[in-house]
Amino acid sequence: MSTAVIAVPKRRRFRLGAIAPYLQAMPLGLVLAVFLVIPILTIVIVSFWDYDSVQIYPDFLFTNYIDLLTSQVTWKTYLNTIKYAVLVWLFTLVIGFTVAYFVAFHVKSATAQMALFLICTIPFLTSNIIRMISWIPFLGRNGILNQALQGIGVTDQPLEFLLFSDFSVILTFVYLYAQFMVVPIFNSMMRIDRNLIEAARDGGASGFQTLVNVIIPLTKSGILIGTIFVVTLVMGDFITVRLMSGGQSASVGLMIANEISLLQYPAAAANAVVLLIIVLLMVAAMLRVVDIRKEL
Amino acid sequence: MSTKSRRKGPSRRSFLKGGAALAGTAIGSGAITGFPTLWAQNIKDVTLRQFGTGVSNLNAIADKVKSDLGFTLAMTALDSDAITQRAVTQPKSFDIADIEYWICKKVFPTGGLQPMDVKKIKYFDKIVPIFVTGKLTPESVIAQGTAPHTVSFVESPEAKAFAKQPTQWMTLIPTIYNADTLGIRPDLVGRPISNWKDLLDPAFKGKASILNIPSIGIMDAAMVCESAGLWKYADKGNMSKEEIDKTMGVLTEAKKAGQFRAFWKSFDESVNLMASGEVIIQSMWSPAVAAVRSKGIPCVYQPLKEGYRAWGGGLGIAKHLSGLELDCAYEYINWYLSGWCGAYLNRQGYYSAVLDTAKEFMSPEEWAFWMEGKPAAADILSPEGKVMEKAGAVRDGGAFVERMGAVACWNSVMDEDRYMIKKWNEFIAA
């Protein structure tokens, strides 16, 4: 591009200079338009269409939204999904923060830090689904955990709630997504100027005070990024919920997946639009709490 | 591939027809079997794309087609929901659809398939009558639900509505069917199981399962309700809104009481639930029972007093097929009914559409075991040659006539389909 700019006469170069930033942004803009904006617009349009068990008909109806928003099932399902999101967020935050804190502040050598950080990513060399379903034989009625518990005499009956329950769903979510908390939090912790911590200690702050008044405020951006990852992933998930609850629990993602599999595309589209709006609102609310640009 | 085969002149076309007729006579005389009736140089360039459920989309069939008929059959195995979607939304993405009859009721009216001329189906007269008249024997009562014969015929090649009587135009050629019931773990249930209502017996609390495919699951639920004497349906396969509410009410109550351990959606899930002992009684498919047994775990496909819930699949030809490819499709369908394939499917515990031809490809011991319900005279091998049953074993449910004669209902699509699915989703979210 730059050679072309040099080659043109002066007057035209000026004009081209004015649009150059747009030209530079165009490839990304086009990609986003084709693969993000147009599909979302299509979904919005289809969400107003009519359908029966085999076909969809172009139309402009609010039935899909009315059916969706007036149904008790929708509210229950959204509540259930948000419950998953909040619980998973809480656990991944505690685990993610602890792990990142340990690696960033307790491990002194940079090599050891990098090694430990890489170890955290090793589970990601296997597919998501495989890591998910390997919990099933572990938690099952005759699974490894129940056998171990009975073997050492902690329980005399297998614990039924371990598998195909909200417990197993949340456990799997936490296991799958904790890494998305660890990485951004670790990243922002590594940027904290160590002199600040020393200054806090010199000023007489206890370890806890340093944590609350120095480290947590300075890792806010990392926590926020991790939160966005975890919340959006949990809100949209359907396969974890289906497999780990044994099909007994519902989530918004699963509701959409069911509608698609039954050819109810307009209903699924309406559901997707509502989900998108809710997730965007949640992210917007988070961004109001933490000014991510300032923090970065 | 397909474009190549379309580039042919009328002369070759007529040549092909002549060849086919000639070969047809040869086969009709009984001199040759299993050979192609189509003699064309470019037949090896033809690829037919077939999709369907995992039960019948087997590589062994594609391999045999290649060696017997010369053209290539590309198979894709999908689940029932995905098949419906694909058949409706991407009718150009396949040449042969291997779909279930209840799905046909949804799919055929959308126009993705073309009816077949029964005059070109060599064994049409020998097809098991369930698929033509709905009656297995002249005395049989036609079962409830989407019985295959109700969606088997249309009036003309262009018609989209189903014909009430057999006509010259057939929507699907039946390939595979069976009668389903409950699978149980005899070592864990601790008592004989003889009725559908046993699925909701509180003794099996937290150890029962039902499948999460609404159209099929609600039929199992209806069998349970009827068996428990809660009420009698006019037609289980076409319930009124009130009947749907009642049926789902029973299921929801059982779910809230913790009766179910899980709901399964795929074959493998049902196998794993049973094999791991998470579930000891559940609605199940016969090959899934076989899969559990092949792990050395006892599992029985329990015949029940109220009869079976049946299903059937068939081959349909895509609308866009013509010329040589269409000829190949007919060729393939005729081959499918000519015995090898039928024997292959029978040996897996399913049933084939034309029994006479399949019999020729099975040993008398195999035939007696699978089709006549007699104790196995020798070890029974799977199509891959593994021992499935030891000598002396008897097939669950007995002979073909006993099993298919005791069908209480067929998998179906109801008029209140949309309402039923809404209720089913409420049940899952409850």
Side-chain angles (χ1 to χ4, degrees):
Chain A
M1 181 118 31
S2 56
T3 49
V5 172
I6 290 159
V8 293
K10 258 192 174 168
R11 266 177 64 208
R12 283 198 56 196
R13 184 167 63 180
F14 174 69
R15 266 202 223 143
L16 227 136
I19 61 161
Y22 296 97
L23 283 176
Q24 285 172 320
M26 202 175 62
L28 181 64
L30 274 178
V31 167
L32 287 179
V34 171
F35 294 103
L36 186 73
V37 178
I38 295 176
I40 288 178
L41 279 180
T42 318
I43 291 172
V44 172
I45 293 167
V46 171
S47 72
F48 291 103
W49 286 12
D50 195 13
Y51 67 98
D52 58 24
S53 56
V54 286
Q55 261 166 314
I56 56 176
Y57 307 99
D59 206 333
F60 189 78
L61 298 168
F62 290 98
T63 346
N64 298 320
Y65 287 98
I66 294 166
D67 281 356
L68 182 70
L69 298 175
T70 56
S71 161
Q72 272 227 313
V73 179
T74 314
W75 296 101
K76 263 194 205 163
T77 311
Y78 267 94
L79 272 181
N80 201 36
T81 313
I82 289 169
K83 179 185 88 187
Y84 285 147
V86 170
L87 287 171
V88 172
W89 171 75
L90 209 66
F91 289 124
T92 50
L93 179 61
V94 171
I95 294 169
F97 192 88
T98 319
V99 170
Y101 185 87
F102 175 79
V103 178
F105 293 112
H106 274 264
V107 181
K108 297 295 174 206
S109 105
T111 329
Q113 273 179 341
M114 272 343 280
L116 285 172
F117 184 74
L118 287 176
I119 286 172
C120 286
T121 63
I122 283 179
F124 284 75
L125 301 176
T126 329
S127 115
N128 220 358
I129 304 257
I130 288 176
R131 278 182 299 138
M132 186 190 305
I133 57 176
S134 30
W135 281 103
I136 294 177
F138 181 75
L139 296 172
R141 181 178 286 138
N142 306 311
I144 299 167
L145 186 58
N146 265 323
Q147 279 176 359
L149 287 175
Q150 282 166 279
I152 56 171
V154 178
T155 54
D156 45 354
Q157 285 283 316
L159 298 173
E160 304 265 317
F161 75 88
L162 289 178
L163 186 60
F164 301 138
S165 59
D166 280 353
F167 171 80
S168 55
V169 173
I170 291 167
L171 177 75
T172 315
F173 269 139
V174 171
Y175 167 66
L176 291 178
Y177 299 147
Q179 185 67 1
F180 289 98
M181 269 300 188
V182 174
V183 174
I185 295 177
F186 174 75
N187 194 29
S188 43
M189 278 179 178
M190 291 305 283
R191 292 150 172 258
I192 295 174
D193 190 341
R194 303 295 137 133
N195 292 331
L196 290 175
I197 295 161
E198 214 162 296
R201 200 178 297 142
D202 290 349
S206 67
F208 183 72
Q209 281 172 320
T210 315
L211 181 72
V212 173
N213 297 313
V214 181
I215 295 173
I216 291 181
L218 289 173
T219 45
K220 264 200 309 196
S221 62
I223 293 172
L224 180 76
I225 294 170
T227 304
I228 293 175
F229 276 140
V230 170
V231 168
T232 50
L233 282 168
V234 174
M235 289 298 288
D237 178 275
F238 66 97
I239 194 75
T240 312
V241 176
R242 189 170 89 70
L243 289 177
M244 298 311 293
S245 78
Q248 299 233 53
S249 297
S251 77
V252 182
L254 192 56
M255 193 155 73
I256 297 175
N258 281 341
E259 281 162 345
I260 292 174
S261 69
L262 296 161
L263 290 176
Q264 303 178 338
Y265 289 110
N271 215 334
V273 171
V274 172
L275 176 63
L276 183 67
I277 291 170
I278 287 177
V279 171
L280 286 179
L281 286 176
M282 287 168 89
V283 172
M286 289 176 219
L287 290 174
R288 287 205 79 129
V289 180
V290 182
D291 185 348
I292 198 161
R293 279 200 216 171
K294 207 181 86 193
E295 300 288 339
L296 286 176
Chain B
M1 211 69 85
S2 53
T3 47
K4 205 185 266 179
S5 61
R6 278 199 197 98
R7 238 187 286 130
K8 62 191 158 17
S11 59
R12 169 164 281 181
R13 184 85 196 81
S14 42
F15 162 77
L16 281 174
K17 276 194 173 164
L22 210 101
T25 352
I27 284 198
S29 69
I32 324 165
T33 48
F35 284 99
T37 49
L38 254 175
W39 305 99
Q41 289 301 314
N42 53 356
I43 197 168
K44 64 179 182 347
D45 295 336
V46 173
T47 295
L48 292 180
R49 298 160 300 164
Q50 173 178 322
F51 76 110
T53 52
V55 291
S56 52
N57 280 260
L58 308 162
N59 285 330
I61 294 179
D63 294 345
K64 190 74 178 161
V65 166
K66 186 75 190 170
S67 71
D68 275 5
L69 303 178
F71 56 83
T72 305
L73 193 64
M75 301 260 208
T76 314
L78 302 166
D79 64 58
S80 303
D81 289 338
I83 287 167
T84 320
Q85 272 188 63
R86 178 122 172 232
V88 171
T89 59
Q90 301 162 55
K92 290 229 159 71
S93 73
F94 63 89
D95 304 312
I96 306 257
D98 179 0
I99 60 181
E100 289 162 76
Y101 277 88
W102 62 280
I103 291 173
C104 179
K105 192 175 174 185
K106 276 189 175 188
V107 167
F108 196 84
T110 64
L113 300 175
Q114 56 174 303
M116 284 164 268
D117 187 346
V118 300
K119 285 181 184 155
K120 294 192 194 167
I121 308 295
K122 217 166 12 177
Y123 299 99
F124 174 73
D125 295 333
K126 290 188 169 178
I127 289 175
V128 173
I130 298 175
F131 297 92
V132 181
T133 61
K135 294 186 172 196
L136 183 62
T137 59
E139 302 83 46
S140 316
V141 179
I142 293 175
Q144 297 177 353
T146 305
H149 73 287
T150 58
V151 294
S152 279
F153 296 95
V154 289
E155 298 287 353
S156 70
E158 282 77 37
K160 285 183 181 172
F162 299 110
K164 294 223 169 3
Q165 302 294 326
T167 66
Q168 193 192 333
W169 303 100
M170 208 166 184
T171 55
L172 296 181
I173 294 293
T175 50
I176 182 171
Y177 52 99
N178 210 338
D180 282 351
T181 172
L182 297 176
I184 60 166
R185 282 281 302 265
D187 53 331
L188 298 176
V189 289
R191 70 171 174 87
I193 303 291
S194 52
N195 298 87
W196 278 87
K197 68 176 180 204
D198 291 333
L199 182 69
L200 294 189
D201 183 341
F204 307 134
K205 188 179 163 187
K207 294 175 178 177
S209 173
I210 198 165
L211 77 175
N212 184 12
I213 300 175
S215 311
I216 306 175
I218 196 162
M219 302 295 279
D220 282 350
M223 294 295 284
V224 169
C225 289
E226 226 170 48
S227 157
L230 295 173
W231 48 81
K232 223 169 157 47
Y233 299 86
D235 183 352
K236 285 185 279 296
N238 202 3
M239 300 182 196
S240 66
K241 280 191 178 174
E242 198 201 348
E243 285 174 327
I244 294 172
D245 286 346
K246 279 182 175 173
T247 313
M248 296 316 296
V250 171
L251 273 190
T252 309
E253 215 176 283
K255 184 188 174 190
K256 284 190 173 153
Q259 182 70 11
F260 301 113
R261 182 63 167 154
F263 303 115
W264 59 267
K265 203 157 191 170
S266 73
F267 179 90
D268 301 332
E269 276 178 281
S270 74
V271 173
N272 290 336
L273 284 174
M274 208 66 167
S276 64
E278 294 294 334
V279 161
I280 58 176
I281 180 168
Q282 64 172 347
S283 47
M284 219 170 169
W285 294 336
S286 66
V289 173
V292 175
R293 287 156 80 115
S294 71
K295 292 175 199 266
I297 296 163
C299 187
V300 170
Y301 207 42
Q302 184 62 49
L304 301 169
K305 277 188 189 129
E306 294 84 7
Y308 299 88
R309 177 185 49 74
W311 58 270
L315 296 176
I317 298 180
K319 191 97 188 170
H320 64 86
L321 232 56
S322 62
L324 180 63
E325 285 180 318
L326 185 59
D327 292 340
C328 286
Y330 274 108
E331 189 69 25
Y332 166 55
I333 283 166
N334 281 326
W335 170 86
Y336 208 109
L337 300 178
S338 72
W340 183 88
C341 214
Y344 192 93
L345 298 173
N346 286 354
R347 268 186 213 116
Q348 290 190 311
Y350 301 108
Y351 297 119
S352 61
V354 178
L355 299 178
D356 300 355
T357 54
K359 192 175 183 176
E360 292 165 23
F361 284 80
M362 292 169 85
S363 71
E365 298 82 37
E366 283 181 320
W367 183 260
F369 174 79
W370 288 115
M371 304 305 291
E372 291 169 348
K374 290 182 183 152
D379 282 358
I380 295 297
L381 305 182
S382 74
E384 294 82 33
K386 275 204 316 206
V387 176
M388 278 182 105
E389 298 285 353
K390 293 255 184 283
V394 182
R395 168 177 199 163
D396 304 326
F400 171 76
V401 188
E402 270 177 76
R403 282 170 60 98
M404 289 316 291
V407 169
C409 61
W410 290 86
N411 285 349
S412 69
V413 178
M414 306 187 187
D415 295 340
E416 296 290 351
D417 192 37
R418 196 166 156 176
Y419 182 76
M420 188 273 285
I421 284 161
K422 199 178 132 197
K423 285 286 152 187
W424 187 271
N425 285 338
E426 282 175 25
F427 159 64
I428 294 296

